[in-house]
Amino acid sequence: MNKINYQKEFEKIISSFTSKPNLLLHSCCAPCSSYVLEYLNNFFNITVFFYNPNINIETEYQKRKEEQKRFIKEFSNNEISFIEGDYNIQDFYSAIKGEELKGEGSIRCKKCYTFRLEKTAILAKKNKYDYFCTTLSISPLKDSQVINKIGLELENKYNIPWLKSDFKKKNGYKRSIELSCEYNLYRQNYCGCSFSKLEAENKNREN
Ligand code: SF4
């Protein structure tokens, strides 16, 4: 099946704008959000939704959350809004039940994306945002085809427009590394859940 270029789809959407719509943007962490916010800030009024109960322990969760808030403050002088979701790790374990050991990029991650994006869609609908989206597609380890498919399914389910996108394009990942250095952002070496931490440690041992 042919892959869809979601950067091109994004460009089609923004080409019709005459003013800045309101966007609820799920963010997984400050480094991934850095380029995405730099880019999207040109086209949208943005609220960042930090909803990540997948993060393995609370100290790590708080660290990533505080970095997210610091980046928003330093980058936009708090012009970009911030909302924190609930941190209940049991919700994550319930969402991925039965798929725990499938590995990064598997059905486990698909369920994890759906779990976090569904909450984002519901909040976007409730608070009458024009679009909802996520930073997740910036990671080279995350398939933008899968993420956009989930977004579009949720668009249909909740009747709230999904912002088609692929933030890896236009050298987005490279730019996020530059911005992370510029703002001295904490860059974790695993995705977030306890399984991904173990997988990263095993990979390091093998190398
Ligand atoms: S590796 Fe990342 S995306 Fe996949 S389940 Fe764990 S936290 Fe979620």
Side-chain angles (χ1 to χ4, degrees):
M1 208 173 75
N2 281 348
K3 286 193 174 176
I4 297 170
N5 184 330
Y6 283 104
Q7 171 62 26
K8 287 225 165 78
E9 296 294 311
F10 172 87
E11 286 165 13
K12 273 188 229 161
I13 294 170
I14 59 166
S15 68
S16 65
F17 289 176
T18 51
S19 60
K20 282 184 167 186
N22 295 323
L23 169 69
L24 186 64
L25 177 71
H26 165 262
S27 174
C28 55
C29 61
C32 287
S33 78
S34 60
Y35 161 74
V36 179
L37 290 177
E38 181 185 64
Y39 184 50
L40 292 182
N41 206 30
N42 298 310
F43 312 107
F44 295 90
N45 298 315
I46 306 171
T47 300
V48 165
F49 181 41
F50 191 84
Y51 180 63
N52 299 298
N54 52 313
I55 297 172
N56 62 328
I57 46 169
E58 181 145 11
T59 46
E60 177 71 20
Y61 171 83
Q62 294 296 346
K63 199 171 174 182
R64 294 190 193 190
K65 182 188 81 179
E66 289 309 317
E67 276 303 75
Q68 179 69 82
K69 287 165 75 176
R70 182 173 71 82
F71 178 71
I72 290 173
K73 187 167 181 221
E74 292 180 12
F75 173 73
S76 78
N77 201 15
N78 285 337
E79 188 195 302
I80 292 169
S81 308
F82 176 85
I83 300 175
E84 180 184 8
D86 297 335
Y87 178 67
N88 182 351
I89 202 162
Q90 288 314 322
D91 291 344
F92 165 71
Y93 286 130
S94 301
I96 57 113
K97 199 167 169 34
E99 317 292 0
E100 291 86 346
L101 304 179
K102 298 275 169 71
E104 192 161 354
S106 71
I107 181 75
R108 180 186 80 206
C109 298
K110 199 177 163 197
K111 289 193 169 183
C112 178
Y113 307 154
T114 306
F115 160 64
R116 287 182 283 167
L117 289 184
E118 184 148 26
K119 193 76 154 195
T120 311
I122 292 168
L123 186 63
K125 180 70 182 175
K126 183 174 166 223
N127 291 343
K128 299 185 168 53
Y129 284 87
D130 299 303
Y131 291 91
F132 76 105
C133 192
T134 179
T135 57
L136 288 170
S137 69
I138 198 166
S139 164
L141 295 173
K142 294 184 171 57
D143 187 339
S144 60
Q145 304 294 310
V146 171
I147 293 166
N148 280 280
K149 189 167 177 284
I150 294 167
L152 290 166
E153 284 165 3
L154 293 169
E155 171 179 308
N156 281 334
K157 186 170 177 186
Y158 294 102
N159 192 24
I160 171 84
W162 162 253
L163 180 65
K164 295 174 196 166
S165 48
D166 183 357
F167 299 116
K168 277 187 276 301
K169 303 282 186 193
K170 294 175 83 74
N171 280 327
Y173 183 65
K174 183 168 170 274
R175 179 66 186 144
S176 76
I177 293 169
E178 288 167 5
L179 283 165
S180 297
C181 290
E182 199 179 310
Y183 287 86
N184 195 24
L185 296 176
Y186 163 60
R187 292 185 72 227
Q188 60 277 353
N189 59 3
Y190 65 102
C191 183
C193 63
S194 52
F195 314 108
S196 63
K197 187 166 194 292
L198 207 62
E199 285 154 12
E201 285 167 359
N202 287 342
K203 205 168 169 189
N204 281 344
R205 260 195 296 274
E206 280 164 21
N207 293 337

